[in-house]
Amino acid sequence: MTVSTVDGLRAEMAVGRGGFRLDVTLAAAPGEVLAVLGPNGSGKSTLLDTLAGLLRADTGTVELAGRTLAGDRLHVPPHQRRVGLVTQDTLLFPHLTVLANVAFGPRAHGKPRRAAENTARRWLSEVDASELAGRRPSTLSGGQAQRVALARALATEPDLLLLDEPFAALDVDAAPALRGLVRRVLGVAGGRRATVLVTHDPLDALVLADRVVVLDGGRIVEQGSTGEVLSRPRTAFTARVAGLNLITGTASGDGLVTADGTHVAGMRGEPLADGAPAVAVFLPSAVAVHMERTLASPRNVFPATVAGLEPHGDVIRVRARGGPPWVAGLAADLSPAAIAELALEPGTAIHLVIKATEVTVYGA
Ligand SMILES: Nc1ncnc2c1ncn2[C@@H]1O[C@H](COP(=O)(O)OP(=O)(O)OP(=O)(O)O)[C@@H](O)[C@H]1O
């Protein structure tokens, strides 16, 4: 083993893939979660594959928790890196039970069977999957399989956890709860472990990451704390990524109550005591605009006024104002045809309609 003085992860590497070249320098401190955002083809998977050791960098070094994993003529193979990888395809062994799948890593690292199974049970319990221990992977739902895959990665006690779009394959009902669970689990025994999370979804970054890097064309075009990058975007991609609606208030039931007493119906992303400071987060694409006040439940209906219309890729972003202060700046993405049909223009009185299942509520 080659010793390094670096705590956590530090990677400075260049790798070519066909005509594409990834050239990045990044670091994640022990206990830190670094989100990697970027448009399709920007090099996110190439980055993860290289960190995992599945792909060999052409030049550069990768150092992790006091060890050099890649460098001058050095390439530590994936299974010796102490790196855990969770992807959308959970890749569980179909012929093994859930318990045996999770115990596999510790066994492969030399733990006796009983000790490996104890470790597996502990991590299954952390991801709320103890009752799945005897099941085969083919009998699990997508969300259950993702929880098991996470337990399997963590059971090896990796120095680096790589999460590749872990919620992308889940339906809208399953993703918020799993995101909340991952946030909790990443806090467990996370002192030494660094985490790199690749995602398309700004919610993932907002909820899970301490810092964000934005990749474009194989290079890092933005980086900083998650709040900094998402509140002051400097590229079109990050501006879109940051285009979230956010309402602050205090937790109440499954939703929250704003300072002026409006109830916002949502889904809890994590357990929250009623009255705790909370934020409700949803995408502009989840907001419909109606002229009449519809009473369809379980939807949120907020009266507002059109403040402005901005072209936004293929859609028109409607900005709202009026009513209580939190309405100002809320955005709805509509097709140009819908804008024309509703005859929207600045000053038009509207109702913003958002399904509760599209709104995720987290602790603030
Ligand atoms: N096996 C490969 N051989 C040659 N080129 C590849 C290979 N895999 C990826 N590429 C190219 O490398 C570039 C970066 O791809 P990569 O999959 O890392 O991007 P990404 O950001 O993960 O994209 P996405 O969000 O679509 O998953 C792309 O131009 C892609 O065409």
Side-chain angles (χ1 to χ4, degrees):
M1 182 180 63
T2 313
V3 175
S4 133
T5 55
V6 169
D7 261 356
L9 169 72
R10 200 191 128 73
E12 183 184 349
M13 58 198 193
V15 51
R17 222 178 196 185
F20 177 82
R21 188 173 162 83
L22 174 79
D23 194 343
V24 294
T25 299
L26 54 83
E32 189 172 50
V33 179
L34 177 71
V36 178
L37 295 168
N40 288 333
S42 57
K44 302 183 297 294
S45 301
T46 305
L47 171 63
L48 279 202
D49 289 351
T50 314
L51 293 175
L54 301 168
L55 204 62
R56 202 173 175 138
D58 299 329
T59 57
T61 53
V62 177
E63 293 162 283
L64 177 65
R67 298 179 302 143
T68 302
L69 302 183
D72 206 16
R73 286 190 298 277
L74 174 75
H75 178 79
V76 175
H79 64 279
Q80 288 172 3
R81 291 198 164 205
R82 301 187 56 83
V83 171
L85 177 63
V86 179
T87 63
Q88 300 182 38
D89 315 318
T90 53
L91 305 175
L92 297 171
F93 298 120
H95 58 290
L96 296 181
T97 62
V98 161
L99 184 71
N101 262 285
V102 179
F104 186 88
R107 285 284 280 154
H109 285 104
K111 270 200 184 178
R113 190 169 61 85
R114 183 70 58 86
E117 288 184 357
N118 285 341
T119 303
R121 282 201 184 85
R122 181 164 71 82
W123 282 108
L124 283 173
S125 150
E126 289 294 349
V127 301
D128 299 337
S130 296
E131 77 287 358
L132 305 175
R135 302 259 292 265
R136 301 267 166 185
S138 60
T139 69
L140 303 178
S141 72
Q144 289 171 333
Q146 277 302 34
R147 290 187 345 240
V148 172
L150 183 64
R152 184 180 59 169
L154 290 168
T156 61
E157 287 162 20
D159 292 326
L160 174 64
L161 179 66
L162 302 175
L163 301 173
D164 190 359
E165 303 273 4
F167 316 115
L170 301 181
D171 60 38
V172 290
D173 291 349
L178 187 62
R179 202 181 282 115
L181 180 140
V182 169
R183 176 162 126 143
R184 192 189 78 216
V185 169
L186 289 183
V188 176
R192 187 176 159 85
R193 182 183 61 234
T195 302
V196 176
L197 162 74
V198 160
T199 180
H200 268 96
D201 189 337
L203 272 180
D204 293 346
L206 207 62
V207 171
L208 297 171
D210 303 299
R211 282 193 309 118
V212 170
V213 300
V214 181
L215 270 186
D216 198 5
R219 292 182 175 270
I220 292 176
V221 292
E222 282 189 66
Q223 59 183 313
S225 73
T226 309
E228 245 167 54
V229 170
L230 295 183
S231 65
R232 285 189 289 281
R234 286 184 293 126
T235 64
F237 172 76
T238 320
R240 183 169 64 72
V241 155
L244 284 168
N245 288 307
L246 187 144
I247 300 175
T248 57
T250 51
S252 166
D254 280 341
L256 62 70
V257 176
T258 63
D260 69 305
T262 306
H263 186 259
V264 179
M267 313 244 309
R268 283 285 171 86
E270 61 188 1
L272 268 178
D274 275 1
V279 290
V281 184
F282 51 98
L283 291 163
S285 57
V287 182
V289 171
H290 292 194
M291 305 312 280
E292 310 294 336
R293 183 181 178 85
T294 46
L295 290 172
S297 178
R299 287 172 163 79
N300 295 290
V301 182
F302 305 132
T305 303
V306 175
L309 303 169
E310 323 148 7
H312 204 83
D314 294 336
V315 297
I316 307 287
R317 178 156 292 178
V318 180
R319 289 280 175 195
R321 64 176 168 81
W326 51 266
V327 171
L330 290 183
D333 284 349
L334 271 64
S335 67
I339 300 281
E341 193 177 318
L342 296 169
L344 295 187
E345 54 183 19
T348 310
I350 53 173
H351 292 91
L352 303 175
V353 180
I354 310 121
K355 281 187 203 167
T357 51
E358 303 276 5
V359 178
T360 308
V361 178
Y362 297 100

